Amino acid sequence: DAAIDVARHYAETRIQGGHTPSPIAEHPDVQRQLLDMAADVESLRALLFTVANLGEIGARSDDADEAAQA
């Protein structure tokens, strides 16, 4: 998230253009790149939560197996 914030701030403050200078954040390709970055972060966050959830489910099933054997 921090990298996206830095990239977004840079794109909003970086001015480029000839006759009508504007922030590069207004350029469609830069917007696409920022959205791609955000999508990658959100996808990895979802994967992390899924793996953590499966780890907790696995740990609980191990506890249930041990209790059943006792």
Side-chain angles (χ1 to χ4, degrees), residues 8-70:
R8 187 172 290 125
H9 175 72
Y10 177 79
E12 290 169 353
T13 57
R14 173 75 161 88
I15 305 298
Q16 184 172 337
H19 299 292
T20 57
S22 63
I24 62 172
E26 295 177 8
H27 296 240
D29 191 49
V30 174
Q31 291 175 352
R32 180 193 55 79
Q33 291 173 351
L34 291 170
L35 289 173
D36 281 346
M37 289 175 65
D40 288 344
V41 167
E42 290 300 319
S43 297
L44 290 171
R45 181 176 288 132
L47 178 63
L48 176 68
F49 285 139
T50 300
V51 169
N53 187 33
L54 291 173
E56 287 183 15
I57 290 170
R60 288 187 180 141
S61 68
D62 288 344
D63 292 343
D65 290 341
E66 289 174 8
Q69 291 176 359

